[in-house]
Amino acid sequence: MKKIILFSLLLITIILTSCVKPDVFEPKVSDFSLSERAVFICQFGFPGPLPGMLTSPFGVTVDNEGNIYVADTGGDRIQKFNSRGEFILGFGSTGNLNGQMNLPYSIKIDEKNSLWVVDTGNARIQRFDSNGKFLMKFGEPGTANGQFNSCMDLAVHGGNIFVLDVGNSRVQVFDFHGKFLYKWGQSGPDPKDFQAPFGITVDHLGYVYISDLSGQIKKYTSKGKFIKAWGTVGTEDGQFQSPSRVAADPFGYIYVADTANLRIQKFNSDGEFIMKFGKNDGGSYTFMAPYGIYADNQNKVYVTDVGYCNVKVFQMKLK
């Protein structure tokens, strides 16, 4: 596992220093599915340190008004855009004081529009309001309950925060006040175990899905009881190469950022493949390093591309 994590961190380091400007092409339809298609809507973002520019955007979430929040990891900040991708505001700076950040790798939103930021380099979770006002924090480096070692992602469900504590090979669950509730998970070779966990989401029924860089998606109950795993390493439908992040939409479908295959794959909650999108032809569906992913209740899918330093938005439609 340590070798996989070290390789992943090396890959991330390379990506953090290699953002390039994308070519912009007219929208076109991706015909990978017999029943469904992903229609490109827009993209926004451009490499740079100024407001509205992005420096390695690893996380994305959307509020109930359609505003888009991006964890601009390389810039140690969060940036807020409207539904058209127009910059609204930014907050955060490099450091370890309240409201400062050190490699914020993920951002999620709760039903009250509070933002939960995974402040990976500072081994903590920070909570903000939708305008960037600091509200609270919890966590510190270590292995004890409530401590973190490379926390990389989180999920919000039912008044609880599920934190993927990668270095400690576990999921820790907290209430909205940051009180530790329980934990589960371990490193090992069995399907139920973690090899290199990297992304987490919780569906509308409370089931937990974890993307593992070993090439699998793992499904558990909210208490950590293993249900199933699917996927192997490869390029075929349902196979993965470095599946970095996973998102559940409100309808029970699971989207996976299949990073090294430069595509997004969609599954039902049992792991049955439905469709995929992403091309390598220089057009609007081209990804260089798809990473963060969010699926809303309007059948829109938002993808952060760490290579192009932008956010792409797609509308899922039946053919």
Side-chain angles (χ1 to χ4, degrees), residues 133-189:
K133 178 183 177 182
F134 172 81
L135 299 177
M136 62 165 288
K137 65 182 179 183
F138 63 90
E140 62 183 7
T143 59
N145 294 343
Q147 296 181 330
F148 303 117
N149 178 12
S150 296
C151 48
M152 285 291 185
D153 199 8
L154 64 76
V156 181
H157 180 79
N160 291 335
I161 308 297
F162 295 74
V163 181
L164 185 58
D165 187 12
V166 172
N168 289 321
S169 297
R170 63 188 181 183
V171 173
Q172 296 195 68
V173 184
F174 303 83
D175 66 18
F176 275 11
H177 300 290
K179 178 184 177 182
F180 172 82
L181 299 177
Y182 59 93
K183 64 184 178 182
W184 50 269
Q186 63 184 19
S187 176

Side-chain angles (χ1 to χ4, degrees), residues 250-309:
F251 314 107
Y253 295 107
I254 308 301
Y255 294 84
V256 179
D258 188 10
T259 303
N261 280 327
L262 308 180
R263 65 187 181 183
I264 305 300
Q265 296 198 67
K266 181 178 180 179
F267 302 85
N268 67 17
S269 59
D270 291 323
E272 296 174 344
F273 173 82
I274 295 176
M275 61 92 71
K276 64 186 176 184
F277 61 95
K279 293 184 177 181
N280 191 26
D281 61 0
S284 299
Y285 292 86
T286 296
F287 296 116
M288 182 181 291
Y291 198 91
I293 187 167
Y294 180 85
D296 70 11
N297 60 6
Q298 303 297 317
N299 281 315
K300 290 181 181 178
V301 178
Y302 305 77
V303 182
T304 63
D305 194 312
V306 179
Y308 283 137
C309 290

Side-chain angles (χ1 to χ4, degrees), residues 28 30 37-43 264 277-278 284-287 294 296 298-303 311-317:
K28 50 190 176 183
S30 180
R37 62 183 183 178
V39 177
F40 173 82
I41 298 176
C42 69
Q43 69 181 32
I264 305 300
F277 61 95
S284 299
Y285 292 86
T286 296
F287 296 116
Y294 180 85
D296 70 11
Q298 303 297 317
N299 281 315
K300 290 181 181 178
V301 178
Y302 305 77
V303 182
V311 179
K312 289 183 168 70
V313 184
F314 301 88
Q315 179 74 60
M316 307 304 295
K317 292 186 176 182

Side-chain angles (χ1 to χ4, degrees), residues 8-298:
S8 302
L9 293 176
L10 176 60
L11 176 62
I12 290 170
T13 301
I14 293 172
I15 292 173
L16 281 170
T17 59
S18 63
C19 293
V20 299
K21 178 181 177 181
D23 291 322
V24 180
F25 285 74
E26 290 300 316
K28 50 190 176 183
V29 174
S30 180
D31 291 320
F32 287 123
S33 170
L34 295 177
S35 61
E36 191 173 18
R37 62 183 183 178
V39 177
F40 173 82
I41 298 176
C42 69
Q43 69 181 32
F44 61 91
F46 186 84
L50 299 179
M53 294 182 175
L54 299 171
T55 309
S56 302
F58 275 84
V60 62
T61 194
V62 180
D63 67 20
N64 54 22
E65 296 180 352
N67 296 309
I68 304 165
Y69 302 83
V70 180
D72 191 14
T73 308
D76 291 326
R77 62 186 178 178
I78 304 300
Q79 297 204 65
K80 179 179 180 179
F81 302 84
N82 65 20
S83 60
R84 298 180 298 277
E86 297 167 339
F87 176 76
I88 297 176
L89 60 85
F91 59 93
S93 60
T94 303
N96 58 14
L97 301 178
N98 292 344
Q100 293 186 317
M101 304 172 193
N102 181 8
L103 297 177
Y105 270 99
S106 182
I107 183 170
K108 299 293 171 65
I109 196 165
D110 64 28
E111 63 272 12
K112 295 183 179 179
N113 276 350
S114 289
L115 301 169
W116 299 85
V117 177
V118 179
D119 188 8
T120 304
N122 288 321
R124 65 186 182 184
I125 307 300
Q126 295 197 72
R127 184 182 186 182
F128 301 86
D129 70 14
S130 59
N131 291 315
K133 178 183 177 182
F134 172 81
L135 299 177
M136 62 165 288
K137 65 182 179 183
F138 63 90
E140 62 183 7
T143 59
N145 294 343
Q147 296 181 330
F148 303 117
N149 178 12
S150 296
C151 48
M152 285 291 185
D153 199 8
L154 64 76
V156 181
H157 180 79
N160 291 335
I161 308 297
F162 295 74
V163 181
L164 185 58
D165 187 12
V166 172
N168 289 321
S169 297
R170 63 188 181 183
V171 173
Q172 296 195 68
V173 184
F174 303 83
D175 66 18
F176 275 11
H177 300 290
K179 178 184 177 182
F180 172 82
L181 299 177
Y182 59 93
K183 64 184 178 182
W184 50 269
Q186 63 184 19
S187 176
D190 294 334
K192 66 181 178 61
D193 296 331
F194 299 150
Q195 283 78 51
F198 227 67
I200 185 170
T201 192
V202 182
D203 70 13
H204 64 297
L205 298 177
Y207 292 107
V208 180
Y209 303 80
I210 292 177
S211 54
D212 197 294
L213 292 177
S214 63
Q216 286 190 320
I217 305 301
K218 300 172 183 286
K219 181 178 180 179
Y220 306 83
T221 68
S222 62
K223 297 295 185 179
K225 181 181 178 180
F226 177 72
I227 297 175
K228 69 182 304 180
W230 74 84
T232 57
V233 175
T235 61
E236 300 299 320
D237 295 347
Q239 294 185 318
F240 307 105
Q241 293 196 86
S242 298
S244 55
R245 288 288 168 85
V246 58
D249 72 12
F251 314 107
Y253 295 107
I254 308 301
Y255 294 84
V256 179
D258 188 10
T259 303
N261 280 327
L262 308 180
R263 65 187 181 183
I264 305 300
Q265 296 198 67
K266 181 178 180 179
F267 302 85
N268 67 17
S269 59
D270 291 323
E272 296 174 344
F273 173 82
I274 295 176
M275 61 92 71
K276 64 186 176 184
F277 61 95
K279 293 184 177 181
N280 191 26
D281 61 0
S284 299
Y285 292 86
T286 296
F287 296 116
M288 182 181 291
Y291 198 91
I293 187 167
Y294 180 85
D296 70 11
N297 60 6
Q298 303 297 317

